[in-house]
Amino acid sequence: TDTSQNIFPMKILDGSEGEGGGQIIRNSICYAALLQQDLRIHSVRKKRSKPGLRAQHLTGLKLAADICGGSLVDAHVGSEAFEYHPKPMPKPKLIPCKDRLEVEVEVDGQHDDADVDVAVKPNTIVADIKTAGSICLLFQVGLPCMLYSNSRISHLELRGGTNADMAPQIDYTQQVFLPIISRHCFRSLLLLQPTDESASTSIASDANANAIVANIDIQKRGYFPVGKGVASISLHEALKEFRGPMEPILMKERGHVISISITAFYAGKLPRFVAKKMADSALRLIQGDNDLNSIAT
């Protein structure tokens, strides 16, 4: 789309509306990039203690522009107003398959120079927040752009925080969010059995029970304040040509708890017994007066 001849006027949004946080930025850049719409947002994150773009938001803007094409104006850390302008799809920043990422490894709270041999797949874009900013919030930008754009990008390498405060945990994204939208919104493409409208879960055939919209391979976890987590994300083969629409989510009943799994993580100089103590405490709280025998820790 030639933006100089764009028939749609620029959309101007007040970033202080609603919660006045980062979600309006993530949603808006996805819509603008996919619809090839000029966009300006002012009063960015005005209701936050530190207004303006932070590293995670800026990386999300650049990710959308890299996948869908376009340019950013006045987009930098601390900026309280920026613009996005679509343009014809440029050649994406692809990483040759033979290349490797050099990733620092954290051992007992210290960083050494050992390399993690992380193979970067073809048609991959690497987005590095360079802080402990949430990879999962970055994924909220990357997934719709991969699904609906014409870029042919099917792999993302996201770097930052895998388990950050005030954001979805990567485990939730991997174990709850993606299975839910796979079973409901993409069940036909993924050859899953139709969802039972009277239940909160759908039972797929054995062959396709684990079919998922996108696979998340956690190469390395990243925590505050260092970050340095690495997640490799691959779009399912059946969705590489997907252009919509998604199927509706139909969940009318809560369903029943079948099993519970508790996982506690520890990092840096913390000893293993700290994680064990957290898991045991969670187990006691969850069990309470409930007759739950199928709990794995």
Side-chain angles (χ1 to χ4, degrees), residues 156-175:
L156 298 177
E157 202 76 60
L158 305 183
R159 303 169 128 198
T162 56
N163 301 81
D165 291 339
M166 305 297 291
Q169 305 297 289
I170 199 163
D171 308 275
Y172 175 87
T173 303
Q174 189 180 53
Q175 300 173 30

Side-chain angles (χ1 to χ4, degrees), residues 116-130:
V116 175
D117 192 26
V118 182
V120 182
K121 300 177 181 180
N123 296 337
T124 296
I125 286 182
V126 178
D128 189 352
I129 302 174
K130 300 187 184 300

Side-chain angles (χ1 to χ4, degrees), residues 12-79:
I12 301 178
L13 301 181
D14 184 346
S16 68
E17 288 291 331
E19 64 161 349
Q23 197 62 49
I24 190 173
I25 299 171
R26 288 185 288 274
N27 288 0
S28 299
I29 191 62
C30 286
Y31 289 130
L34 292 171
L35 297 174
Q36 296 287 279
Q37 169 70 61
D38 290 292
L39 172 71
R40 174 178 172 80
I41 301 182
H42 63 85
S43 304
V44 171
R45 299 181 66 251
K46 192 172 183 178
K47 294 182 180 179
R48 294 294 188 258
S49 58
K50 294 182 178 180
L53 295 172
R54 310 313 299 166
Q56 174 253 120
H57 311 106
L58 179 59
T59 307
L61 294 175
K62 291 180 178 179
L63 179 60
D66 280 347
I67 296 176
C68 300
S71 59
L72 297 164
V73 178
D74 294 331
H76 54 82
V77 173
S79 173

Side-chain angles (χ1 to χ4, degrees), residues 176-187:
V176 179
F177 172 72
L178 284 173
I180 286 291
I181 66 169
S182 298
R183 291 179 178 181
H184 293 269
C185 302
F186 300 94
R187 56 183 178 269

Side-chain angles (χ1 to χ4, degrees), residues 138-170:
L138 200 57
F139 182 57
Q140 290 182 1
V141 174
L143 181 60
C145 287
M146 281 199 300
L147 283 172
Y148 286 99
S149 74
N150 296 317
S151 67
R152 306 282 183 175
I153 297 298
S154 56
H155 303 285
L156 298 177
E157 202 76 60
L158 305 183
R159 303 169 128 198
T162 56
N163 301 81
D165 291 339
M166 305 297 291
Q169 305 297 289
I170 199 163

Side-chain angles (χ1 to χ4, degrees), residues 179-248:
I180 286 291
I181 66 169
S182 298
R183 291 179 178 181
H184 293 269
C185 302
F186 300 94
R187 56 183 178 269
S188 296
L189 282 171
L190 297 177
L191 303 180
L192 298 174
Q193 290 183 356
T195 302
D196 182 354
E197 295 185 13
S198 64
S200 62
T201 60
S202 62
I203 306 300
S205 63
D206 291 341
N208 299 295
N210 296 320
I212 209 81
V213 170
N215 178 67
I216 298 181
D217 181 12
I218 304 172
Q219 303 282 344
K220 181 175 179 286
R221 289 185 180 268
Y223 302 98
F224 179 85
V226 178
K228 296 183 181 294
V230 181
S232 177
I233 298 169
S234 300
L235 203 61
H236 191 284
E237 192 71 29
L239 295 174
K240 290 182 179 180
E241 302 297 329
F242 174 79
R243 295 297 177 267
M246 294 188 295
E247 299 169 73

